Amino acid sequence: MVIVLEKNVADKQIENIIKHLEDFGFAVHKSTGVEQIVLGAIGVKPDFDTRNVKIIDGVAEVYRITEPYKLASRSFQKENTVITIKGIPIGGNEVMMMAGPCSIESEEQIFTLAEIVAKSGAKILRGGAFKPRTSPYAFQGMGEEGLKLIRKAADAYNLLVITEVMEIAQIDLIGKYTDIYQIGARNMQNFSLLKELGKTNIPIMLKRGLSATIEEWLMSAEYILSSGNRQVIMCERGIRTFETATRNTFDLSSIPVLQKKSHLPVAADPSHATGLRDKVLPMARAAVAAGADALMVEVHHQPEKALSDGPQALLPEQFMELMKQIRLIAEVIGRKIA
Ligand code: PEP
Ligand code: MN
């Protein structure tokens, strides 16, 4: 249930309304928007009479939300969520580019790529130190050594860091080095991990599960939001379909679908969505045109030697070309790339 408060409602009155709702047995979350304050009451039984709430002093409107997700819903928060990290906004008018290698491999590698990423005008460096590989025999990542390197490289070039967290035991360690936690597709429904990450105050990018519906994906975001962390970015990275020509099928329509259903920023990852270097540029253009708030792409200066995802990594000059082209697309729809 969503409760819209009257304009200019006093703090004391808000406290009173929350108290009433808690007495009814609801968990209450508050959202302070530009124009109005909205309360989300979780745990409403189907037979609860919303008129009991409508009559409380200071309440303007009461709506039942039929979606199973509440805090992630556009009805709970009308305005887009903008997550600002060290002055860099995600979810605003600028489309944020996150770029870098699939895995951190060496100091030389991550510094070379950080320089390229910074030169392109992008603000966020990606790179995995803990890798969710299909084969246990494949490179599993450099671990803490990798985290130290990506932090050092990002700091040298004034970039933010995004890196994947795979399990609860890694949360504190990775939190010392990263600006954004990435939850990989394979962990989208690792509910205990989501709940623990929800207790941190570091922004989180939640990738769509390999075969997750949009509703399941939003329910995973709801796990994080309801645990206290409101800084969630959704990331479309392609889903499993019958098609084998690309690694996954890039579900571009999930971008506008999510933006209608939710206030959370939406990112797109054309690298994992296609798995093919020459498909990344056209799909990046498409994602910006579809309204993505951020993009994530993999770049490598020696992709033939990459320890993971070499075939989908853009060469530096291809990445520069991508940045040039998406700047033009962004301009057409009144946005900018950063
Ligand atoms: C990655 O970003 O390198 C990655 C493993 O992505 P995903 O979880 O989308 O497969
Ligand atoms: Mn990868």
Side-chain angles (χ1 to χ4, degrees):
M1 178 172 55
V2 159
I3 300 111
V4 181
L5 304 191
E6 279 169 0
K7 291 205 171 96
N8 312 318
V9 64
D11 287 351
K12 228 115 204 92
Q13 251 176 320
I14 301 174
E15 269 171 42
N16 181 50
I17 298 164
I18 293 176
K19 169 97 188 19
H20 260 85
L21 292 165
E22 285 172 349
D23 288 347
F24 283 128
F26 304 131
V28 184
H29 298 260
K30 187 169 129 193
S31 160
T32 308
V34 182
E35 295 198 351
Q36 59 194 15
I37 293 174
V38 174
L39 301 177
I42 314 283
V44 183
K45 303 262 175 342
D47 60 350
F48 181 79
D49 189 343
T50 54
R51 283 175 299 183
N52 289 321
V53 177
K54 186 88 206 283
I55 54 168
I56 307 172
D57 210 24
V59 171
E61 297 295 339
V62 180
Y63 304 101
R64 250 176 210 283
I65 305 189
T66 46
E67 296 103 3
Y69 47 88
K70 311 287 176 198
L71 307 180
S73 159
R74 214 17 120 186
S75 4
F76 176 59
Q77 185 184 311
K78 277 210 186 81
E79 299 93 3
N80 289 339
T81 284
V82 180
I83 301 168
T84 304
I85 314 164
K86 298 179 181 165
I88 311 281
I90 303 177
N93 193 47
E94 280 180 310
V95 181
M96 287 299 153
M97 172 58 82
M98 312 179 205
C102 180
S103 300
I104 304 148
E105 300 169 356
S106 69
E107 180 156 5
E108 185 268 330
Q109 178 241 24
I110 196 69
F111 269 77
T112 304
L113 292 165
E115 185 180 2
I116 291 162
V117 169
K119 217 160 144 192
S120 79
K123 305 265 192 303
I124 307 169
L125 181 63
R126 68 145 286 147
F130 295 97
K131 297 301 302 176
R133 304 305 300 281
T134 303
S135 165
Y137 308 117
F139 177 59
Q140 304 286 307
M142 288 182 77
E144 185 171 10
E145 195 48 37
L147 295 173
K148 286 184 181 157
L149 292 177
I150 193 171
R151 183 72 263 169
K152 209 166 127 192
D155 288 345
Y157 291 97
N158 202 19
L159 298 165
L160 298 181
V161 170
I162 179 166
T163 196
E164 178 162 352
V165 54
M166 285 173 57
E167 49 178 289
I168 292 175
Q170 296 165 350
I171 294 177
D172 289 344
L173 174 72
I174 296 177
K176 286 200 276 180
Y177 299 97
T178 200
D179 297 299
I180 307 171
Y181 286 118
Q182 173 172 318
I183 302 177
R186 290 153 194 82
N187 265 320
M188 188 205 84
Q189 285 191 317
N190 181 340
F191 301 118
S192 38
L193 179 64
L194 301 178
K195 280 194 265 189
E196 282 306 305
L197 284 166
K199 294 179 193 160
T200 71
N201 53 16
I202 295 177
I204 294 167
M205 187 171 87
L206 177 65
K207 287 191 146 195
R208 184 175 183 178
L210 304 175
S211 301
T213 64
I214 291 174
E215 188 168 297
E216 287 164 342
W217 186 14
L218 281 166
M219 289 309 289
S220 289
E222 191 77 10
Y223 263 95
I224 302 169
L225 299 169
S226 61
S227 303
N229 190 333
R230 300 284 182 89
Q231 306 185 86
V232 178
I233 304 156
M234 308 296 276
C235 178
E236 169 61 50
R237 48 78 73 205
I239 47 174
R240 276 281 164 89
T241 68
F242 50 81
E243 184 54 70
T244 55
T246 47
R247 181 176 177 184
N248 291 293
T249 297
F250 197 12
D251 182 9
L252 268 178
S253 58
S254 73
I255 300 168
V257 169
L258 272 182
Q259 287 170 337
K260 177 104 190 241
K261 291 182 183 296
S262 176
H263 50 83
L264 298 171
V266 183
D269 172 352
S271 300
H272 293 88
T274 62
L276 301 164
R277 179 175 304 135
D278 66 331
K279 306 295 180 289
V280 176
L281 170 59
M283 290 299 100
R285 287 194 305 248
V288 173
D293 299 300
L295 287 190
M296 169 173 268
V297 300
E298 289 185 344
V299 189
H300 205 294
H301 57 304
Q302 292 174 314
E304 66 292 346
K305 290 194 188 154
L307 298 177
S308 61
D309 285 351
Q312 70 195 31
L314 293 169
L315 291 161
E317 58 273 23
Q318 292 175 319
F319 174 55
M320 292 299 173
E321 179 60 24
L322 179 149
M323 288 298 278
K324 197 170 112 192
Q325 293 196 17
I326 61 171
R327 278 186 210 291
L328 297 173
I329 304 274
E331 210 179 302
V332 174
I333 56 166
R335 298 183 82 171
K336 274 189 175 161
I337 305 283

